[in-house]
């Protein structure tokens, strides 16, 4: 596998380069699109270039994050740009002169009208949306092309995003770094706090419109997350009138999910709502071998878990536009998650000769309930001057969790002893956030400034009780009971300025933050308040040496603040021989990131290349040490420093009109200096990963999709993670009514997805393997009703024969 995949990737890259070498005759037409009512750029919009007086498009494209578009090979004549969605509007006509290589039409205004709807109703056309495109400070991925978006979860869709990894526990990393800030519609969420992996696994993928990966965010964004930001943008592009989508999916092993979303837009008011239900079944197996070198004692542990989660989601809201330039909106969302799980575990300790010294069995059951409610209010106003705008948003979120676990431990060797324990976790998390942003264009550039204030709090009460022998009464265990309160408050001011200068363009920004971290270990009586202020600069520069070519350079300074679990010093017992505790002296980790990129975009092919260096200080890592011959404790510590440098490549193209390929690869070298933690010298290793997405339009109605990814060996401060790979398959068949479709998806086709880690220090050798039964089959049906026959995010599946 480690040999064949690079050769396949190189062959496919060479093939796509050869097939795309010829430029078509005609002019290159570029420009930007703006909303005729508000003057705001129209980002991510499928558009057609249409010759005046003719039916059908001459070319199709998608606007980038700034509303920019590019058509190549355009002949001379009169044209207009038409929005792909019905009723989306069109621009005024413009001319393309004969014998002119390039035409810049500037900013075109899309005005609502009936021309686009009439034209699109007369012929069967569809936009070929790009799998991804590069904006000034981010890469944008269209997840509507991924068939897993119809049946799977947000975690499933993230598996297909280049340089993003999701392991068997649902933990997300970017370019090998798990310090990632995940936003929903550009905002933080309490759901992404204590159990982010579970929140992503319960979020239905059909809610997602696109995913933005921002490795060097501008000063406008929060600096949290040393690897960068993953922004999940949910669907909100609603047509006039009544419209909606219903989905129903049935999977193997009693899996099921269904959703209904609808909107009603009679004029200045827009009502929208969504309800969904999802039930799943997950089985997990863990195996571990652990050796303490100083004593020669070894332990073997095998665990089997079965989880039965159920998720419910309800959302509703209203937007009101009293004028074309002013909008108010309120929304309310409720999310409930329930888990039941069973566990069986066996633990054996052996002497250096291999004879069993101790043997223990554990069985357990548990129930977890989690309720999350979110309320948001927003306001925006566009001034008379185009591009001048003010927007404000207030959001409040609360998450309440209760988890009850019952365990029975039987010590079988040297003597039989049985004990029972009941653990209850009561957790409350809150998130209050207010932001205000103002943008003002100038003839030479654009200025943007704003304020963001956030207060994030958590109150975790862990209670453990044991069953007293003889009388059957539960008695509190003070050694395993604690309460920890954590609150972080951040006030931030930012300013950015962007300006084009010929073929150059730059954006410079500065963010000032005042942060206060208040922790209270109620049980131990320890309280700490940490206040600090910092400046976070950012810089983005682009240069276009020629048409279809673009060079980029960016820099950002980011931070990873410890969360409540990482600061709580009270040990939490996952099982009798594995404990975890936080570190109240943990410092925020800092990172300076520099990235240079190149983009080539011509017709059906786009190439991306990025070279990056990330210098990290006080990096947070987990360190495992023996407490005794059978028990280990894992705590977070600050590294001295580390560096990661790498090269990321991507290509998307279309072959033979029916086959689309999206390939990406990322190779990076890690250098870790952990001498301050007692490790000898510096550790270095090179890792790489690659992903392939292939779509074949077998017939006008049938689409076949394959997604495959491979992650090579990865270095950790105390050891390494072994390679892993995952392949998924999807089929979609559009029914003749053009409003319904049948979808079949199979995840982990080869049943190969697992996590294997090695921990190797002078005193500890630990080899562990974890795997889920992740080969899941889903069969689904979806139907659209109302104004849109086919959603814009799925138009690419309908190609003319």
């Amino acid at each position: 596998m480690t040999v064949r995949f690079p050769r396949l990737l190189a062959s496919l890259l060479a093939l796509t380069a050869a097939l795309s070498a010829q430029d078509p005759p005609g002019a290159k037409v570029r420009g930007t699109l703006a909303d005729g009512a508000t003057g705001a750029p129209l980002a991510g919009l499928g558009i057609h270039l249409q010759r005046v007086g003719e039916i059908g498009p001459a070319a199709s494209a998608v606007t980038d994050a700034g509303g920019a578009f590019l058509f190549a090979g355009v002949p001379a004549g009169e044209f207009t740009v038409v929005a792909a969605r019905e009723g989306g509007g069109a621009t005024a006509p413009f001319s393309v002169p004969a014998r002119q290589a390039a035409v810049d039409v500037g900013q075109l205004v899309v005005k609502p009208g009936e021309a686009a709807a009439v034209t699109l109703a007369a012929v069967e056309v569809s936009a070929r949306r790009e799998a991804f495109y590069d904006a000034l400070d981010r890469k944008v991925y269209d997840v509507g092309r991924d068939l897993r978006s119809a049946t799977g979860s947000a975690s499933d869709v993230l598996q297909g995003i280049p340089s993003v990894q999701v392991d068997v526990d649902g933990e997300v990393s970017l370019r090998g770094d798990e310090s990632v800030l995940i936003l929903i519609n550009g905002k933080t969420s309490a759901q992404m706090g204590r159990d982010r992996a579970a929140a992503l696994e319960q979020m239905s993928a059909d809610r997602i419109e696109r995913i933005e990966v921002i490795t060097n965010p501008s000063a406008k964004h929060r600096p949290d997350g040393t690897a960068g930001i993953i922004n999940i943008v949910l669907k909100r592009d609603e047509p006039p009138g009544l419209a909606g989508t219903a989905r129903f999916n049935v999977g193997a092993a009693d899996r099921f999910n269904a959703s209904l979303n609808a909107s009603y837009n009679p004029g200045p008011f827009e009502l929208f709502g969504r309800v969904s239900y999802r039930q799943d079944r997950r089985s997990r197996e863990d195996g571990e071998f652990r050796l303490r070198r100083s004593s020669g004692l070894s332990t073997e542990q095998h665990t089997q878990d079965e989880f039965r989660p159920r998720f419910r989601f309800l959302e509703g809201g209203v937007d009101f536009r009293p004028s074309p330039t002013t909008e108010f909106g309120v929304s309310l969302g409720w999310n409930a998650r329930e888990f039941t799980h069973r566990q069986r575990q066996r633990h054996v300790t052996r002497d250096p000769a291999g004879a069993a010294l101790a043997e223990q069995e554990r069985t357990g059951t548990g129930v977890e309930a989690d309720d999350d409610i979110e309320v948001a209010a927003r306001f925006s106003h566009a001034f008379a001057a185009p591009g001048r705008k003010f927007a404000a948003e207030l959001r409040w979120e609360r998450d309440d969790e209760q988890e009850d676990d019952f365990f029975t431990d039987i010590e079988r060797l040297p003597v039989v002893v049985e004990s029972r324990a009941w653990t209850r976790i009561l957790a409350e998390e809150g998130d209050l956030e207010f932001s205000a942003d103002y943008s003002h264009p100038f003839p030479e550039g654009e200025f943007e400034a704003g304020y963001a204030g956030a207060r994030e709090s958590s109150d975790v009460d862990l209670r453990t009780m044991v069953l007293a022998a003889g009388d059957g009464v539960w008695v509190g265990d003070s050694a395993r009971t604690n309460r920890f309160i954590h609150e972080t408050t951040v006030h931030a001011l930012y300013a950015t300025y962007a300006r084009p200068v010929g073929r150059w363009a730059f954006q410079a920004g500065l963010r000032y933050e005042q942060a206060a971290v208040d922790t209270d270990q109620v049980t131990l009586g320890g309280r700490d308040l940490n206040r600090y202020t910092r400046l976070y600069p950012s810089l983005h520069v682009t240069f276009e040496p020629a048409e279809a070519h673009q060079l980029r350079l960016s820099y950002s300074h980011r931070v990873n603040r410890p969360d409540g679990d990482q600061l709580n010093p009270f040990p939490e017992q996952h099982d009798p021989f594995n404990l975890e505790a936080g570190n109240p002296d943990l410092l925020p980790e800092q990172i300076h990131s520099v990235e240079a990129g190149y983009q080539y975009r011509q017709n059906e092919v786009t190439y991306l290349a990025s070279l990056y260096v990330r210098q990290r200080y006080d990096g947070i890592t987990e360190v495992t040490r023996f407490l005794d011959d059978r028990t280990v404790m894992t705590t977070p510590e600050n590294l001295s420093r580390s560096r990661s440098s790498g090269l990321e490549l991507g290509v998307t193209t279309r072959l033979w009109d029916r086959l689309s390929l999206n390939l990406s690869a990322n190779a990076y070298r890690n250098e870790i200096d952990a001498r301050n933690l007692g490790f000898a010298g510096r550790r270095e290793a090179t890792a790489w990963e690659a992903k392939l997405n292939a779509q074949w339009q077998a017939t006008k109605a049938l689409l076949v999709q394959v997604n495959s990814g491979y992650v090579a060996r990865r270095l950790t401060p105390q050891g390494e993670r072994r390679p892993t790979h995952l392949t998924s398959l999807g089929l979609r068949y559009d029914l003749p009514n053009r409003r319904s479709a049948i979808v079949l998806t199979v995840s982990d086709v080869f049943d190969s997805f697992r996590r294997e880690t090695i921990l190797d220090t002078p005193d500890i050798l630990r080899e562990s393997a974890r795997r889920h039964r992740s080969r899941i089959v889903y069969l689904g049906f979806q139907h659209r009703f109302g104004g849109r026959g086919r959603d814009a995010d799925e138009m690419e599946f309908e190609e003319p024969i």
Side-chain angles (χ1 to χ4, degrees):
M1 184 72 177
T2 58
V3 176
R4 293 179 180 176
F5 204 105
R7 289 180 179 174
L8 173 63
L9 181 63
S11 300
L12 289 171
L13 287 170
L15 176 62
T16 56
L19 290 173
S20 61
Q22 295 295 325
D23 288 345
K28 297 180 176 69
V29 177
R30 65 193 312 156
T32 59
L33 290 183
D35 190 302
T38 65
L42 293 173
L45 178 67
I47 56 174
H48 302 308
L49 180 69
Q50 186 171 307
R51 187 186 290 271
V52 174
E54 293 186 2
I55 296 177
S60 299
V62 178
T63 60
D64 68 11
F69 63 85
L70 173 67
F71 295 107
V74 179
E78 293 286 320
F79 294 90
T80 184
V81 175
V82 179
R85 62 174 184 260
E86 293 187 16
T91 70
F94 58 88
S95 297
V96 177
R99 296 182 299 277
Q100 186 158 332
V103 177
D104 190 341
V105 298
Q107 186 182 72
L108 299 177
V109 176
V110 177
K111 297 182 179 180
E114 299 180 357
V118 171
T119 301
L120 292 177
V123 292
E124 295 180 2
V125 297
S126 63
R128 293 177 176 175
R129 297 182 65 179
E130 296 183 65
F132 64 89
Y133 60 87
D134 214 4
L136 178 65
D137 66 344
R138 69 194 64 194
K139 294 181 176 67
V140 183
Y141 298 91
D142 172 21
V143 302
R145 302 173 64 93
D146 192 335
L147 293 182
R148 290 172 294 188
S149 66
T151 61
S153 66
S155 292
D156 297 322
V157 171
L158 285 169
Q159 286 281 13
I161 303 300
S163 296
V164 176
Q165 300 85 38
V166 183
D167 67 15
V168 294
D169 294 320
E171 296 298 334
V172 178
S173 59
L174 175 59
R175 291 176 174 173
D177 189 346
E178 294 183 357
S179 175
V180 183
L181 177 64
I182 296 183
L183 304 178
I184 307 297
N185 289 333
K187 304 295 181 181
T188 57
S189 172
Q191 298 179 57
M192 300 300 155
R194 181 175 172 82
D195 198 348
R196 183 173 74 181
L200 291 171
E201 288 174 344
Q202 65 90 20
M203 179 185 290
S204 296
D206 64 350
R207 297 174 56 196
I208 302 174
E209 177 180 313
R210 65 183 186 273
I211 292 176
E212 301 173 345
V213 177
I214 316 173
T215 50
N216 266 354
S218 72
K220 178 179 180 178
H221 300 283
R222 289 180 56 164
D224 300 76
T226 54
I229 295 173
I230 296 176
N231 183 28
I232 299 175
V233 182
L234 304 181
K235 296 176 181 177
R236 281 294 308 278
D237 182 18
E238 308 299 347
L242 176 65
T245 304
R247 285 184 170 90
F248 178 89
N249 302 291
V250 178
D254 198 25
R255 294 181 174 88
F256 164 80
N257 62 73
S259 66
L260 173 66
N261 68 288
S263 67
Y264 180 61
N265 185 1
F269 285 93
E270 178 185 314
L271 303 174
F272 59 90
R274 180 181 183 87
V275 59
S276 66
Y277 175 82
R278 184 181 188 90
Q279 67 179 35
D280 207 342
R281 184 184 297 275
R282 304 171 192 160
S283 298
R284 185 177 70 191
E285 294 183 6
D286 289 2
E288 180 181 300
F289 170 81
R290 188 164 66 213
L291 170 68
R292 186 171 194 182
R293 290 190 166 102
S294 59
S295 66
L297 297 182
S298 63
T299 60
E300 301 169 9
Q301 184 172 295
H302 184 262
T303 306
Q304 291 180 310
D305 290 292
E306 184 170 317
F307 301 88
R308 182 66 167 159
R310 293 179 175 86
F311 311 108
R312 291 165 290 172
F313 176 78
L314 180 64
E315 180 187 35
V318 58
D319 289 333
F320 173 56
R321 300 180 182 89
S323 71
T325 59
T326 303
E327 179 178 346
F328 300 88
V330 294
S331 61
L332 174 66
W334 173 73
N335 189 23
R337 182 173 74 244
E338 296 176 358
F339 278 90
T340 59
H341 65 89
R342 296 179 179 274
Q343 181 187 87
R344 181 174 293 275
Q345 185 179 86
R346 183 172 180 266
H347 191 280
V348 179
T349 302
R350 302 182 185 277
D351 64 16
L357 298 178
E359 182 177 339
Q360 185 191 52
E361 289 185 5
R362 161 174 278 203
T363 58
T365 61
V367 178
E368 178 182 342
D370 191 346
D371 285 275
D372 179 88
I373 186 169
E374 178 179 347
V375 181
R378 53 193 173 274
F379 166 79
S380 65
H381 176 73
F383 297 90
R388 187 181 170 203
K389 185 178 180 180
F390 173 79
E393 181 172 355
L394 177 65
R395 188 180 62 84
W396 174 83
E397 186 175 5
R398 179 185 173 94
D399 185 89
D400 294 308
E401 175 186 341
Q402 178 174 324
E403 180 179 355
D404 290 279
D405 295 301
F406 298 86
F407 298 103
T408 299
D409 293 315
I410 303 177
E411 194 79 37
R412 296 196 177 277
L413 190 69
V415 295
V416 177
V417 178
E418 181 176 311
S419 62
R420 296 184 180 180
W422 171 16
T423 298
R424 168 171 285 182
I425 299 176
L426 300 174
E428 298 178 359
E429 294 190 26
D431 192 355
L432 179 63
E433 189 172 335
F434 173 76
S435 63
D437 305 282
Y438 173 74
S439 58
H440 191 111
F442 293 94
E444 303 83 8
E446 182 177 7
F447 173 78
E448 188 171 3
Y451 163 83
R455 186 186 67 189
E456 301 173 359
S457 62
S458 65
D459 185 344
V460 181
D461 191 357
L462 172 63
R463 306 172 185 177
T464 301
M465 290 160 280
V466 295
L467 192 62
D471 57 8
V473 177
W474 291 100
V475 178
D477 183 354
S478 58
R480 290 186 285 170
T481 296
N482 88 99
R483 184 184 178 192
F484 185 72
I485 300 174
H486 169 259
E487 181 175 286
T488 298
T489 303
V490 178
H491 297 280
L493 295 171
Y494 79 89
T496 65
Y497 180 72
R499 178 179 178 178
V501 182
R503 293 182 175 271
W504 294 83
F506 73 88
Q507 182 196 71
L510 185 64
R511 186 181 185 93
Y512 167 83
E513 284 199 350
Q514 182 185 73
V517 181
D518 188 357
T519 61
D520 185 4
Q521 174 42 259
V522 179
T523 303
L524 300 179
R527 185 161 188 171
D528 187 32
L529 177 62
N530 182 20
R531 298 181 182 271
Y532 56 91
T533 60
R534 284 197 175 95
L535 294 174
Y536 299 97
S538 68
L539 177 65
H540 295 79
V541 181
T542 65
F543 173 62
E544 297 185 0
E547 293 292 337
H549 299 269
Q550 188 178 75
L551 299 173
R552 299 177 182 274
L553 179 68
S554 63
Y555 162 80
S556 69
H557 175 203
R558 301 190 59 75
V559 64
N560 178 27
R561 300 180 178 93
D563 59 27
D565 289 340
Q566 292 174 313
L567 294 172
N568 184 4
F570 202 95
E572 183 176 345
Q573 186 184 87
H574 291 277
D575 60 61
F577 309 106
N578 289 277
L579 282 72
E580 284 191 7
N583 178 4
D585 298 323
L586 203 62
L587 300 173
E589 63 178 335
Q590 308 286 326
I591 189 169
H592 296 274
S593 174
V594 179
E595 184 169 337
Y598 167 74
Q599 175 181 269
Y600 173 84
R601 182 177 177 183
Q602 185 79 310
N603 302 326
E604 301 286 358
V605 65
T606 300
Y607 293 105
L608 295 176
S610 298
L611 184 66
Y612 59 90
V613 178
R614 300 184 301 196
Q615 184 72 45
R616 188 190 313 267
Y617 302 90
D618 297 324
I620 298 175
T621 187
E622 291 185 345
V623 176
T624 301
R625 298 183 177 91
F626 271 107
L627 295 180
D628 55 47
D629 285 337
R630 301 178 66 187
T631 308
V632 296
M633 171 80 82
T634 300
T635 56
E637 303 282 351
N638 287 116
L639 290 168
S640 173
R641 65 180 60 191
S642 64
R643 174 184 292 178
S644 176
S645 55
L647 174 64
E648 184 178 65
L649 301 173
V651 59
T652 179
T653 189
R654 195 174 194 88
L655 306 178
W656 306 295
D657 194 51
R658 290 184 177 274
L659 178 63
S660 298
L661 293 178
N662 181 8
L663 302 99
S664 65
N666 179 36
Y668 54 95
R669 182 167 185 81
N670 283 335
E671 303 173 16
I672 300 175
D673 184 355
R675 285 174 291 186
N676 63 313
L677 300 181
F679 301 108
R682 176 182 296 178
R683 306 188 65 221
E684 301 180 4
T686 300
W688 64 274
E689 60 201 43
K691 291 186 179 182
L692 166 65
N693 171 273
Q695 293 187 118
W696 176 44
Q697 194 73 47
T699 68
K700 187 174 181 179
L702 178 62
L703 176 76
V704 182
Q705 186 177 92
V706 177
N707 295 280
S708 186
Y710 178 80
V711 180
R713 168 183 171 268
R714 186 192 305 176
L715 185 69
T716 64
Q718 287 188 292
E720 66 179 55
R721 286 192 180 184
R722 287 177 172 169
T724 184
H725 57 95
L726 177 69
T727 298
S728 300
L729 174 68
L731 302 171
R732 175 191 171 100
Y733 182 77
D734 294 330
L735 298 181
N737 65 10
R738 300 177 52 77
R739 289 179 174 268
S740 305
I742 298 174
V743 179
L744 174 69
T745 59
V746 184
S747 62
D748 195 12
V749 174
F750 302 110
D751 197 22
S752 58
F753 195 43
R754 67 191 66 193
R755 185 182 74 182
E756 297 180 349
T757 60
I758 297 176
L759 190 151
D760 192 356
T761 73
D763 194 32
I764 303 174
L765 173 63
R766 184 174 71 182
E767 299 183 1
S768 60
R770 172 172 292 181
R771 62 174 299 173
H772 287 208
R773 294 179 183 175
S774 51
R775 181 191 291 162
I776 302 173
V777 180
Y778 268 111
L779 179 63
F781 173 80
Q782 57 191 52
H783 176 74
R784 290 171 187 78
F785 58 89
R788 263 186 296 192
R790 177 178 295 280
D791 272 353
D793 64 344
E794 286 163 343
M795 293 179 67
E796 68 275 12
F797 297 147
E798 181 190 345
E799 297 294 344
I801 295 177

Short mmCIF file of all heavy atoms in Angstrom, two decimals, residues 22-39:
data_model
loop_
_atom_site.label_atom_id
_atom_site.label_comp_id
_atom_site.label_asym_id
_atom_site.label_seq_id
_atom_site.Cartn_x
_atom_site.Cartn_y
_atom_site.Cartn_z
N GLN A 22 -3.97 21.71 -23.42
CA GLN A 22 -4.38 22.61 -24.47
C GLN A 22 -5.38 23.63 -23.95
O GLN A 22 -6.38 23.28 -23.34
CB GLN A 22 -5.03 21.80 -25.61
CG GLN A 22 -4.06 20.85 -26.30
CD GLN A 22 -2.96 21.58 -27.04
OE1 GLN A 22 -3.19 22.65 -27.58
NE2 GLN A 22 -1.77 21.00 -27.04
N ASP A 23 -5.12 24.91 -24.20
CA ASP A 23 -6.07 25.96 -23.86
C ASP A 23 -7.05 26.12 -25.01
O ASP A 23 -6.67 26.08 -26.19
CB ASP A 23 -5.36 27.29 -23.66
CG ASP A 23 -4.58 27.31 -22.36
OD1 ASP A 23 -4.83 26.43 -21.53
OD2 ASP A 23 -3.72 28.20 -22.21
N PRO A 24 -8.36 26.32 -24.71
CA PRO A 24 -9.33 26.51 -25.78
C PRO A 24 -9.20 27.89 -26.39
O PRO A 24 -8.72 28.82 -25.75
CB PRO A 24 -10.66 26.35 -25.05
CG PRO A 24 -10.38 26.84 -23.68
CD PRO A 24 -8.96 26.43 -23.38
N PRO A 25 -9.62 28.04 -27.67
CA PRO A 25 -9.58 29.37 -28.28
C PRO A 25 -10.64 30.26 -27.65
O PRO A 25 -11.63 29.80 -27.08
CB PRO A 25 -9.89 29.07 -29.75
CG PRO A 25 -10.67 27.79 -29.72
CD PRO A 25 -10.12 27.00 -28.58
N GLY A 26 -10.47 31.57 -27.79
CA GLY A 26 -11.43 32.52 -27.25
C GLY A 26 -10.85 33.31 -26.10
O GLY A 26 -9.69 33.14 -25.70
N ALA A 27 -11.66 34.19 -25.56
CA ALA A 27 -11.21 35.10 -24.51
C ALA A 27 -11.45 34.51 -23.13
O ALA A 27 -12.31 33.65 -22.94
CB ALA A 27 -11.92 36.44 -24.65
N LYS A 28 -10.70 35.01 -22.16
CA LYS A 28 -10.94 34.73 -20.75
C LYS A 28 -11.75 35.89 -20.19
O LYS A 28 -11.32 37.04 -20.25
CB LYS A 28 -9.64 34.56 -19.99
CG LYS A 28 -8.79 33.38 -20.45
CD LYS A 28 -7.52 33.31 -19.64
CE LYS A 28 -6.70 32.07 -20.02
NZ LYS A 28 -6.15 32.21 -21.39
N VAL A 29 -12.93 35.60 -19.65
CA VAL A 29 -13.83 36.62 -19.12
C VAL A 29 -13.87 36.48 -17.61
O VAL A 29 -14.22 35.41 -17.09
CB VAL A 29 -15.24 36.50 -19.71
CG1 VAL A 29 -16.18 37.53 -19.09
CG2 VAL A 29 -15.20 36.67 -21.22
N ARG A 30 -13.50 37.52 -16.91
CA ARG A 30 -13.50 37.48 -15.45
C ARG A 30 -14.23 38.69 -14.90
O ARG A 30 -14.43 39.70 -15.58
CB ARG A 30 -12.06 37.44 -14.92
CG ARG A 30 -11.26 38.70 -15.21
CD ARG A 30 -9.78 38.47 -14.94
NE ARG A 30 -9.58 37.83 -13.65
CZ ARG A 30 -8.50 37.12 -13.37
NH1 ARG A 30 -7.55 36.96 -14.26
NH2 ARG A 30 -8.36 36.58 -12.18
N GLY A 31 -14.64 38.56 -13.64
CA GLY A 31 -15.35 39.65 -12.98
C GLY A 31 -15.84 39.19 -11.63
O GLY A 31 -15.45 38.14 -11.12
N THR A 32 -16.70 39.99 -11.00
CA THR A 32 -17.31 39.64 -9.72
C THR A 32 -18.81 39.87 -9.82
O THR A 32 -19.28 40.71 -10.58
CB THR A 32 -16.72 40.46 -8.56
OG1 THR A 32 -16.95 41.84 -8.81
CG2 THR A 32 -15.23 40.21 -8.41
N LEU A 33 -19.53 39.11 -8.99
CA LEU A 33 -20.98 39.25 -8.93
C LEU A 33 -21.39 39.83 -7.60
O LEU A 33 -20.85 39.45 -6.55
CB LEU A 33 -21.67 37.89 -9.13
CG LEU A 33 -21.60 37.26 -10.52
CD1 LEU A 33 -22.40 35.97 -10.54
CD2 LEU A 33 -22.12 38.21 -11.58
N ALA A 34 -22.37 40.74 -7.63
CA ALA A 34 -22.90 41.35 -6.40
C ALA A 34 -24.41 41.28 -6.42
O ALA A 34 -25.04 41.27 -7.49
CB ALA A 34 -22.44 42.80 -6.28
N ASP A 35 -25.00 41.20 -5.23
CA ASP A 35 -26.44 41.18 -5.08
C ASP A 35 -27.01 42.56 -5.43
O ASP A 35 -26.55 43.58 -4.91
CB ASP A 35 -26.81 40.80 -3.65
CG ASP A 35 -28.29 40.52 -3.48
OD1 ASP A 35 -29.11 41.41 -3.79
OD2 ASP A 35 -28.64 39.41 -3.05
N GLY A 36 -28.00 42.58 -6.31
CA GLY A 36 -28.57 43.84 -6.73
C GLY A 36 -29.28 44.59 -5.62
O GLY A 36 -29.45 45.80 -5.69
N ALA A 37 -29.72 43.87 -4.57
CA ALA A 37 -30.45 44.52 -3.48
C ALA A 37 -29.52 45.07 -2.41
O ALA A 37 -29.71 46.16 -1.89
CB ALA A 37 -31.45 43.53 -2.86
N THR A 38 -28.48 44.28 -2.06
CA THR A 38 -27.62 44.66 -0.94
C THR A 38 -26.23 45.11 -1.35
O THR A 38 -25.52 45.74 -0.56
CB THR A 38 -27.47 43.48 0.04
OG1 THR A 38 -26.77 42.42 -0.62
CG2 THR A 38 -28.83 42.97 0.49
N GLY A 39 -25.81 44.79 -2.56
CA GLY A 39 -24.45 45.11 -2.99
C GLY A 39 -23.41 44.16 -2.46
O GLY A 39 -22.22 44.32 -2.72
#
